C-alpha cells in the first residue's frame, strides 16, 4: 500500500498530521504549534489530533520532557504505528487504573522502578532530579503462549527512555580511578570488545528483575521447582 501524502485531504487530520511530521518536520526535529496550524489552515483541533498520535506510540515531546524546547515548541522524537494503514491507530478504549490497582502494583514491586531499581523520591544522582514512580503496562508472553498485559512500576526517566540525561565524565573518571587492577582489566576487555558479556545467570537475573510482579512470581516458582 502506498503511503499517503500529508497534503492528501481525503485522509483524516490525524493521518495527515502524522505524515506532516514524517515528511516535513522529520524525526528528531522541533516544530512550533504555529507552524503546524499554518500547515493545516481551518482544521479544527489539529493540536489534539497531533497529541492523539501518542496513543499510537508516537513520541512527541513538550518542554516537560525536553528542557531545550520552548513552551510553544514540540519535538518529533519517533514515529509510532503507521496510523494511515487500515485498522491502525484507532482509538483504544482507555482503561484507567484504580488507585487500589496502582498501590497494589507498587507494593508488589517494593516501590522500586523495576527497570533501573531507583526508589520513589530517590535521587538519580549528579543533578538528575528525584525519581517519580508510575505504573506501566508491560506485555508479558506467558509460558502457555498467551500474551497478557501486567502492571509494573517504572520511574519517569525509564518511561521516557533516559532521553535528555547528561553524562558526567568527571564523575565517571573518578569512579574508574577507584577500580582495582582486576576490575580495571575486565573493564578494559569489555571496552575492547565494545560489549559486555553476560553469563546465563546474569542474563536471567537481568530479565527477571524487570518483570511485573505476577511474571516474577511465575519465574520464582519455576526456580524453586514448584509447578506453575
Ligand atoms: Zn527507572
Amino acid at each position: 500500500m502506498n503511503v499517503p501524502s500529508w497534503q492528501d485531504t481525503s485522509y483524516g487530520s490525524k493521518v495527515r498530521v502524522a505524515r506532516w511530521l514524517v515528511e516535513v518536520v522529520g524525526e528528531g526535529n522541533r516544530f512550533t504549534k504555529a507552524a503546524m496550524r499554518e500547515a493545516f489552515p481551518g482544521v479544527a483541533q489539529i493540536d489534539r489530533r497531533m497529541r492523539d498520535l501518542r496513543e499510537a506510540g508516537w513520541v512527541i515531546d513538550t518542554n516537560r520532557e525536553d528542557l531545550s524546547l520552548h513552551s510553544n515548541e514540540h519535538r518529533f522524537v519517533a514515529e509510532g504505528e503507521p496510523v494511515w494503514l487500515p485498522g491502525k491507530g484507532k482509538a483504544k478504549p482507555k482503561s484507567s487504573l484504580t488507585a487500589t490497582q496502582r498501590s497494589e502494583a507498587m507494593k508488589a514491586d517494593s516501590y522500586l522502578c523495576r527497570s533501573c531499581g531507583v526508589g520513589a523520591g530517590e535521587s538519580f544522582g549528579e543533578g538528575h532530579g528525584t525519581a517519580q514512580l508510575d505504573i506501566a503496562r508491560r506485555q508479558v508472553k506467558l509460558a502457555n503462549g498467551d500474551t497478557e498485559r501486567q502492571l509494573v512500576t517504572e520511574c519517569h526517566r525509564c518511561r521516557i527512555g533516559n532521553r535528555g540525561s547528561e553524562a558526567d565524565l568527571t564523575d565517571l573518571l573518578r569512579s574508574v580511578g577507584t577500580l582495582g587492577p582486576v576490575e580495571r582489566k575486565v573493564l578494559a576487555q569489555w571496552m575492547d570488545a565494545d560489549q559486555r558479556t553476560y553469563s546465563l545467570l546474569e542474563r536471567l537475573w537481568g530479565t527477571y528483575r524487570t518483570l511485573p510482579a505476577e511474571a516474577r512470581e511465575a519465574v520464582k516458582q519455576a526456580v524453586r521447582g514448584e509447578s506453575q
Side-chain angles (χ1 to χ4, degrees):
M1 169 171 176
N2 290 331
V3 173
S5 155
W6 72 273
Q7 288 162 310
D8 187 342
T9 53
S10 66
Y11 283 86
S13 43
K14 184 161 116 180
V15 166
R16 289 183 59 208
V17 75
R19 294 304 311 159
W20 179 77
L21 288 171
V22 174
E23 293 168 39
V24 180
V25 177
E27 225 168 61
N29 296 324
R30 56 178 81 190
F31 62 97
T32 62
K33 285 174 193 166
M36 179 173 64
R37 290 190 193 123
E38 211 169 286
F40 297 91
V43 177
Q45 297 194 306
I46 192 68
D47 294 29
R48 184 184 288 251
R49 297 290 85 77
M50 180 267 292
R51 289 198 300 270
D52 286 347
L53 287 170
R54 295 197 180 113
E55 282 171 31
W58 290 63
V59 184
I60 302 161
D61 280 355
T62 65
N63 66 345
R64 275 198 307 271
E65 293 88 14
D66 183 339
L67 298 177
S68 72
L69 295 174
H70 291 288
S71 59
N72 63 342
E73 285 183 322
H74 289 290
R75 189 185 299 284
F76 169 39
V77 180
E79 220 178 303
E81 280 182 46
V83 291
W84 44 89
L85 296 182
K88 288 280 181 190
K90 292 280 174 287
K92 290 172 189 118
K94 262 193 191 162
S95 55
S96 51
L97 300 172
T98 65
T100 313
Q101 282 178 306
R102 297 171 59 83
S103 63
E104 277 176 0
M106 286 213 189
K107 191 175 170 212
D109 285 338
S110 313
Y111 305 95
L112 300 173
C113 168
R114 299 311 304 187
S115 292
C116 71
V118 76
E122 276 179 15
S123 169
F124 286 116
E126 303 301 317
H128 293 319
T130 52
Q132 288 166 28
L133 298 183
D134 204 354
I135 298 299
R137 293 177 171 87
R138 177 95 35 96
Q139 292 270 99
V140 177
K141 194 168 175 193
L142 304 175
N144 67 5
D146 291 350
T147 304
E148 68 176 29
R149 293 171 79 125
Q150 297 184 0
L151 304 179
V152 67
T153 308
E154 204 169 47
C155 75
H156 176 74
R157 206 165 78 149
C158 287
R159 187 158 55 87
I160 65 169
N162 291 333
R163 281 180 284 113
S165 67
E166 188 183 63
D168 184 341
L169 208 52
T170 315
D171 183 53
L172 190 65
L173 293 175
R174 201 185 303 132
S175 301
V176 167
T178 67
L179 293 178
V182 177
E183 290 169 318
R184 201 177 277 248
K185 199 174 160 193
V186 172
L187 184 60
Q189 282 169 353
W190 292 342
M191 287 171 173
D192 287 343
D194 203 17
Q195 67 171 26
R196 180 188 167 179
T197 47
Y198 292 91
S199 69
L200 177 59
L201 203 56
E202 284 173 308
R203 275 184 281 135
L204 284 171
W205 170 252
T207 309
Y208 165 82
R209 74 181 290 281
T210 67
L211 292 173
E214 216 180 310
R216 290 203 304 278
E217 192 50 43
V219 180
K220 235 184 237 181
Q221 286 181 9
V223 170
R224 290 183 186 138
E226 295 162 18
S227 63
Q228 290 184 39

